[in-house]
Amino acid sequence: MMDNFTPNPFVDELNEAGVPEEFHDWLSAHGVGALVVKLGIRFTEMSAERTVATMPVEGNTQVAGILHGGAHVVLAETLGSFAASLHAGRGRHAVGIEVGATHHRSVASGLVTGTCTAIHLGGTLATHEIVITDDKGRRLSTARITNMIRDNRH
């Protein structure tokens, strides 16, 4: 529980991740998550309909020196989960129930961008498509995530 005298313990993390100040209160108890921080994911746009973030390739590669397929999926799931949570709103939360990805091409350097677009925003389910592109705008992977929307327990 936050009071008016305790600063948000995650303010630096939220700022570093590019989270707009309007969402700091919503994320003040948990931040963006350790894996988001570790992978260097940085949000540039956040809404239920469209959420965008970047992630560096460096530090997120597999043994062959290319962006790890799991890093693609982590970026996609992060974007879809945040977008679904924004759709759920206060008093509700999103729980991922399905995620899948198709990898189209590899990348060995630079910054990748994930663009998450809503496919369905319902009362109980939210489905998003996430397209990950390289610095040249080439599609690297396409993912889809479905989240169940649930009421918070009191």
Side-chain angles (χ1 to χ4, degrees), residues 4-150:
N4 290 332
F5 306 105
T6 305
N8 174 349
F10 294 101
V11 70
D12 291 339
E13 178 180 302
L14 295 172
N15 286 330
E16 182 66 28
V19 174
E21 262 190 61
E22 66 191 270
F23 300 124
H24 282 209
D25 179 53
W26 172 55
L27 295 168
S28 64
H30 305 289
V32 293
L35 192 55
V36 170
V37 172
K38 187 177 286 192
L39 269 61
I41 295 171
R42 182 163 171 71
F43 295 93
T44 59
E45 188 176 332
M46 290 182 84
S47 74
E49 296 80 14
R50 180 179 156 94
T51 299
V52 181
T54 60
M55 181 177 68
V57 173
E58 184 179 356
N60 296 318
T61 57
Q62 46 113 306
V63 68
I66 60 175
L67 183 63
H68 194 289
H72 283 258
V73 178
V74 169
L75 177 57
E77 187 162 354
T78 297
L79 290 168
S81 294
F82 272 83
S85 293
L86 289 171
H87 170 65
R90 295 198 185 269
R92 304 187 84 202
H93 62 278
V95 178
I97 59 171
E98 182 270 337
V99 63
T102 300
H103 304 296
H104 309 293
R105 69 183 319 135
S106 63
V107 63
S109 64
L111 201 62
V112 297
T113 300
T115 302
C116 172
T117 306
I119 296 172
H120 172 76
L121 296 174
T124 57
L125 291 177
T127 303
H128 291 83
E129 177 184 66
I130 302 91
V131 175
I132 299 176
T133 58
D134 65 12
D135 287 335
K136 296 177 183 172
R138 297 178 297 192
R139 186 180 292 230
L140 303 173
S141 62
T142 305
R144 188 186 73 201
I145 182 171
T146 298
N147 282 277
M148 183 170 43
I149 307 299
R150 311 237 1 213

